[in-house]
Each structure stands twice: as C-alpha cells, then as structure tokens.
Amino acid sequence: MLHVVLVEPEIPPNCGNIARTCAATGSRLHLVEPLGFDVSDRAVKRAGLDYWHLVRVEVHPSLEDLFSRHPEAGEDLWLATTKAPRPYSAARFSPDSWLFFGKETAGLPLDFREKYRERCVRLPMVGGARSLNLANSAAVLVYEALRQNGFPGLLGAGEMAEA
C-alpha cells in the first residue's frame, strides 16, 4: 500500500483533496504535526467530507515519531520538492512507497531533504513558476506510483466498458 505523508500541512482544502485521493486509491494518509487545521470527527463532519471514513489516517507528533512507529518508511521513501535535482519520472516506486510532501509555505525541512537527497524528486515546471498546488502534486505522484505498479487493487474500467 502506498503511504502519503504530509509534513506540517497548513491548508485544510489541500488536505481534504489529498485525503480524497487516498480514499480513491486505497493509500494510507499520514499527517505530521503541527497541523494547520482540526481533523477531529466533529470537524470532518462539519466540513462535509463524506469520504473520510474511507481514508486510513495516522497523525504523528513529529517525523521522528513516524519513523519510530514505521521504520520501514526509511526503506522506500520519496520526497517531493521543487528543489530536487531530478524529475519524478526518474523515480522507481514500489507498491509500498512512502511519498513525503512539505507544508505549503516552506516545503520539507532542509535537513530532511539533505538526509534523503538521492530520494528527492520534482514535478517539471516552467521557469518562474513557484510550485504546483500541494493536492495536485500529491495526485500526480500517487498515480505515477500506482501506474508503475499496474494500479494494484484499483478498477481499470468504468461502467462504459460493459456497453
């Protein structure tokens, strides 16, 4: 199963959109605190996130906590950053990859990026573009990882295939 990790996410709609991507793909969502929003049952219901029950969410107080609870995360992780030296298409994702995304205003911490420099990838953009929206970036990487692995567990055709 793919794991999507949001490190200190700040904008609720981005998290909601990424959660929906996780729900639709069977990916697990990890949120690393501090969060810029509330993910309690009451807050989620108030926001009308009717798919939230389909998302497996784990909240971690820190990256250190995530790695102590999931040591396997360090074996196949990929960091999405505009500062990466190579495009995401150069990555070889496994069905159990961990995809890390930083907060909207600052990205992933420098020391974390440096520690995993060879695992940093970026989405190509024109010069002068700051970055893509976090939810869009996550969707691109999740679906690329799934594509590389044959879309495990996902439906390959819709109802039109029966016509």
Side-chain angles (χ1 to χ4, degrees), residues 47-65:
L49 302 178
D50 61 345
Y51 53 83
W52 196 260
H53 68 284
L54 298 173
V55 185
R56 290 194 261 172
V57 181
E58 288 185 36
V59 179
H60 305 274
S62 65
L63 277 172
E64 293 77 19
D65 176 76

Side-chain angles (χ1 to χ4, degrees), residues 141-162:
L141 263 64
V142 165
Y143 271 92
E144 175 61 13
L146 292 168
R147 184 196 67 77
Q148 287 184 16
N149 290 283
F151 298 105
L154 302 184
L155 299 175
E159 63 186 46
M160 292 174 65
E162 298 174 14

Side-chain angles (χ1 to χ4, degrees), residues 13-157:
N14 283 335
C15 183
N17 288 330
I18 293 167
R20 190 175 192 121
T21 297
C22 289
T25 61
S27 302
R28 179 164 287 163
L29 178 61
H30 299 264
L31 303 174
V32 178
E33 296 178 323
L35 307 180
F37 44 84
D38 182 6
V39 291
S40 67
D41 286 340
R42 183 174 179 222
V44 168
K45 285 177 186 169
R46 190 172 50 241
L49 302 178
D50 61 345
Y51 53 83
W52 196 260
H53 68 284
L54 298 173
V55 185
R56 290 194 261 172
V57 181
E58 288 185 36
V59 179
H60 305 274
S62 65
L63 277 172
E64 293 77 19
D65 176 76
L66 182 144
F67 284 107
S68 71
R69 288 171 56 188
H70 296 283
E72 72 278 12
E75 297 169 16
D76 185 19
L77 77 168
W78 295 95
L79 284 60
T81 173
T82 60
K83 297 148 183 72
R86 73 188 59 76
Y88 75 96
S89 56
R92 293 298 160 245
F93 301 104
S94 80
D96 301 312
S97 288
W98 290 70
L99 310 176
F100 286 77
F101 301 87
K103 62 181 167 182
E104 291 89 342
T105 58
L108 292 165
L110 176 61
D111 59 334
F112 185 57
R113 291 192 324 257
E114 286 300 326
K115 180 175 182 178
Y116 296 104
R117 178 180 268 279
E118 297 305 312
R119 306 297 280 190
C120 290
V121 294
R122 71 185 311 266
L123 280 81
M125 297 175 286
V126 298
R130 186 176 44 120
S131 65
L132 288 171
N133 172 275
L134 181 61
N136 293 338
S137 298
V140 169
L141 263 64
V142 165
Y143 271 92
E144 175 61 13
L146 292 168
R147 184 196 67 77
Q148 287 184 16
N149 290 283
F151 298 105
L154 302 184
L155 299 175

